[in-house]
Amino acid sequence: MPKPEVDPTVQLELSVDRSSPVPLYFQLSQQLEAAIEHGTLTPGSLLGNEIELAARLGLSRPTVRQAIQSLVDKGLLVRRRGVGTQVVHSQVKRPLELSSLYDDLEAAGQRPATKVLVNTLVPASAEVAAALGVAEDSDVHRVERLRLAHGEPMAYLCNFLPPGLIDLDTGQLETTGLYRLMRAAGITLHSARQSIGARAATTVEAERLAEETGAPLLTMQRVTFDDTGRAVEYGTHTYRPTRYSFEFQLLVRT
Amino acid sequence: MPKPEVDPTVQLELSVDRSSPVPLYFQLSQQLEAAIEHGTLTPGSLLGNEIELAARLGLSRPTVRQAIQSLVDKGLLVRRRGVGTQVVHSQVKRPLELSSLYDDLEAAGQRPATKVLVNTLVPASAEVAAALGVAEDSDVHRVERLRLAHGEPMAYLCNFLPPGLIDLDTGQLETTGLYRLMRAAGITLHSARQSIGARAATTVEAERLAEETGAPLLTMQRVTFDDTGRAVEYGTHTYRPTRYSFEFQLLVRT
DNA sequence: TCAATCTGAATGTCCGGACAATCTGACTAC
DNA sequence: GTAGTCAGATTGTCCGGACATTCAGATTGA
């Protein structure tokens, strides 16, 4: 049996700027996160007890606790009563944010391209009306886009938005993601309900994505809500599974 | 334009039991959550200010804040400085937990059944060794299961576990989920890295799931870590997309 | 030698207060 | 009537302290 790794407490250079408008707990948590990211705080190492840490920084214990807690919530740290706080070993990257395909592709270094197929107002079908919480047959935006990477079609995106929220400019839609446009329009995205499945491609779908009829497709439906609870977007997407899969990290709810 | 809904502050009957070992903030947050679930606190209604609430309950403001904060983290409440705290409109259910298929099915009222096909020790392949962080060709548990609902095959689950963590009893595997067994064995699940995709069924896969060769399958791979960062499970699952899809709610990271 | 017990250390919970930042709505001035 | 200003309300941040709970390791006893 391997000896139980007793990692040492790490002495870290930390400091806070009291004249800054940035909250003290936030300054501290960012420095700690950077140290973890950077490898200064190695996985398994203890953080040193809160009281001593507070004294060293000239902060109160609640403030230090708030900083630590935010990192615990992110899954970067683990607290053990009677033991201490230590850095988690595993390679936690990001606990699944409400991301856009465009941003994901851009972050992955693939230069994404978008072709807007449709950008118009249509009467809401029963399905769309139910998802967005608007009256049936009332006007909604309908946007159909083809997302390409390296010139190859990767996904077909069909989105519906309630009217009056945002001006949908076709030019802008081709150069950035829908979520970025919505945020820029002052909409605070809050939560989303997603459903991921698979099915065989119809002839029309196959043609759009340069696949064959009957080929497996990855499908995703999503309703997004802002912080007042309004549904602000409903989307039906199909992806080519050979080109795309959903990857994410998730934490256990405590 | 509909008038901007100004929802009233709700007067709620709340109480805490100081003799209980349950933390006060937790008692409060549970009562609030129940009231939201139950509909006593309607979406959009204000919660009443923290100071008055604290006074009414005989608690301090930090304790009340801690209770409220936990519900904000769950996405049930939204705070606005200068305004107050109000209940989110949207139907937030659960922010995607690390769930097991077995529990999901049971919660959905489908009486799940499991058929254990394989339960043995095998030398780790390169892929498995990398995922679990063990030496190649070292012994690992291999469990293959068929998950049925209403007598119909729904998913084929292949899992690998490092040795020494848990006794895998075939009988137990048939009556409950793997995650429940692991938790019962004292393993604290912490996070997981998942990948969801789709592909066409091979002949062998098709036969197992009563599908046809080439039929679309939903696939999921997952590595689960405990709170020390050890990989405790690696799984490769295939689902029948006509019978199963991944549904979850997610919150924007703040 | 092994098991039960004790002790120190660390986090968990809770209190009461203080001041700052921000939003809403009403008031005022033009 | 409209725009700017001001005051009140409410959450955000921070402090310092107190005691409870839990864990790991050392001590003690059989």
Side-chain angles (χ1 to χ4, degrees):
Chain A
M1 193 171 164
K3 76 172 178 193
E5 308 172 26
V6 182
D7 292 309
T9 301
V10 174
Q11 212 56 305
L12 205 55
E13 17 175 329
L14 297 166
S15 62
V16 291
D17 175 10
R18 299 197 86 98
S19 67
S20 162
V22 178
L24 300 178
Y25 79 90
F26 193 74
Q27 292 184 36
L28 177 53
S29 74
Q30 278 198 319
Q31 287 181 46
L32 290 174
E33 187 168 0
I36 293 171
E37 192 93 10
H38 184 268
T40 313
L41 279 175
T42 56
S45 59
L46 288 171
L47 206 58
N49 79 54
E50 298 170 348
I51 299 180
E52 190 267 343
L53 192 57
R56 218 169 76 214
L57 288 166
L59 297 173
S60 71
R61 190 178 161 219
T63 303
V64 172
R65 274 182 70 79
Q66 194 174 1
I68 292 177
Q69 188 58 46
S70 71
L71 297 181
V72 172
D73 291 339
K74 284 191 184 177
L76 267 50
L77 298 177
V78 177
R79 320 178 91 137
R80 278 176 219 271
R81 195 184 283 199
V83 180
T85 306
Q86 54 182 308
V87 181
V88 167
H89 273 96
S90 74
Q91 57 285 32
V92 174
K93 295 219 163 164
R94 280 190 173 180
L96 182 57
E97 53 190 287
L98 190 49
S99 64
S100 84
L101 175 57
Y102 190 92
D103 293 345
D104 289 350
L105 289 173
E106 203 170 51
Q110 319 224 14
R111 301 281 304 147
T114 308
K115 203 157 113 189
V116 175
L117 306 176
V118 173
N119 181 9
T120 181
L121 279 175
V122 298
S125 69
E127 175 198 358
V128 172
L132 291 181
V134 300
E136 206 170 326
D137 293 327
S138 68
D139 275 352
V140 293
H141 289 282
R142 177 193 181 107
V143 179
E144 289 182 43
R145 291 168 296 164
L146 199 63
R147 182 70 36 94
L148 312 159
H150 302 304
E152 285 274 327
M154 164 166 269
Y156 165 76
L157 317 169
C158 179
N159 291 88
F160 299 90
L161 288 84
L165 272 184
I166 182 174
D167 263 341
L168 287 170
D169 178 69
T170 299
Q172 286 188 311
L173 280 171
E174 302 222 319
T175 54
T176 186
L178 179 57
Y179 276 15
R180 211 179 286 177
L181 285 179
M182 293 174 70
R183 281 192 242 257
I187 301 173
T188 336
L189 269 28
H190 177 261
S191 64
R193 179 138 188 82
Q194 289 198 186
S195 173
I196 298 177
R199 67 156 188 271
T202 65
T203 306
V204 175
E205 287 175 329
E207 203 160 320
R208 277 196 295 243
L209 292 173
E211 289 274 349
E212 306 205 342
T213 303
L217 291 184
L218 194 55
T219 67
M220 192 259 276
Q221 287 179 292
R222 171 155 68 183
V223 189
T224 311
F225 303 92
D226 73 358
D227 58 2
T228 70
R230 281 182 310 187
V232 292
E233 178 250 347
Y234 169 59
T236 309
H237 302 176
T238 56
Y239 303 84
R240 297 177 74 180
T242 52
R243 307 259 163 185
Y244 189 76
S245 62
F246 293 94
E247 312 239 348
F248 48 83
Q249 189 104 17
L250 55 85
L251 304 172
V252 230
R253 73 188 186 106
T254 325
Chain B
M1 193 168 165
K3 75 174 179 194
E5 309 173 24
V6 182
D7 291 307
T9 301
V10 173
Q11 212 55 304
L12 206 55
E13 17 174 330
L14 298 166
S15 62
V16 291
D17 175 11
R18 298 198 87 97
S19 66
S20 162
V22 178
L24 300 177
Y25 77 90
F26 193 74
Q27 292 184 36
L28 177 54
S29 73
Q30 278 199 319
Q31 287 181 46
L32 290 174
E33 188 169 0
I36 294 171
E37 192 93 11
H38 185 267
T40 313
L41 279 175
T42 57
S45 59
L46 288 172
L47 206 59
N49 80 56
E50 299 170 347
I51 299 180
E52 191 268 342
L53 193 57
R56 215 169 79 215
L57 288 165
L59 297 174
S60 71
R61 190 177 162 219
T63 304
V64 172
R65 275 183 69 79
Q66 193 174 359
I68 292 176
Q69 188 57 48
S70 72
L71 297 181
V72 171
D73 291 339
K74 284 191 184 178
L76 267 49
L77 299 177
V78 178
R79 319 178 94 137
R80 279 177 219 270
R81 194 185 285 197
V83 181
T85 305
Q86 53 182 312
V87 181
V88 168
H89 273 97
S90 73
Q91 57 283 37
V92 174
K93 295 220 163 166
R94 280 192 171 177
L96 181 57
E97 52 190 286
L98 190 48
S99 64
S100 84
L101 176 57
Y102 190 91
D103 293 345
D104 288 349
L105 289 173
E106 203 170 49
Q110 321 224 12
R111 302 281 305 147
T114 308
K115 203 157 114 189
V116 175
L117 306 175
V118 174
N119 181 7
T120 180
L121 279 175
V122 298
S125 69
E127 177 199 357
V128 172
L132 290 181
V134 301
E136 207 171 325
D137 293 327
S138 68
D139 276 352
V140 293
H141 290 281
R142 179 194 180 107
V143 179
E144 288 182 46
R145 291 168 297 164
L146 200 62
R147 183 68 38 92
L148 312 160
H150 301 304
E152 285 275 326
M154 165 167 267
Y156 164 77
L157 317 170
C158 178
N159 291 90
F160 298 90
L161 289 84
L165 272 185
I166 182 174
D167 262 343
L168 286 170
D169 178 67
T170 299
Q172 286 188 310
L173 279 171
E174 303 222 319
T175 54
T176 187
L178 179 57
Y179 276 15
R180 209 178 287 178
L181 284 179
M182 292 174 71
R183 280 191 243 257
I187 301 173
T188 338
L189 269 29
H190 177 262
S191 64
R193 179 139 189 81
Q194 290 197 183
S195 173
I196 297 177
R199 67 156 188 274
T202 65
T203 306
V204 175
E205 287 174 329
E207 201 159 326
R208 277 195 296 243
L209 293 173
E211 289 275 352
E212 305 204 342
T213 303
L217 291 184
L218 194 56
T219 66
M220 192 261 276
Q221 289 180 291
R222 171 155 68 185
V223 189
T224 311
F225 303 91
D226 72 358
D227 57 3
T228 70
R230 282 181 311 186
V232 292
E233 179 249 347
Y234 170 59
T236 308
H237 302 177
T238 56
Y239 303 83
R240 297 176 74 180
T242 52
R243 307 261 164 184
Y244 189 77
S245 62
F246 294 94
E247 310 238 352
F248 48 89
Q249 189 106 16
L250 54 85
L251 305 172
V252 232
R253 71 189 189 105
T254 327

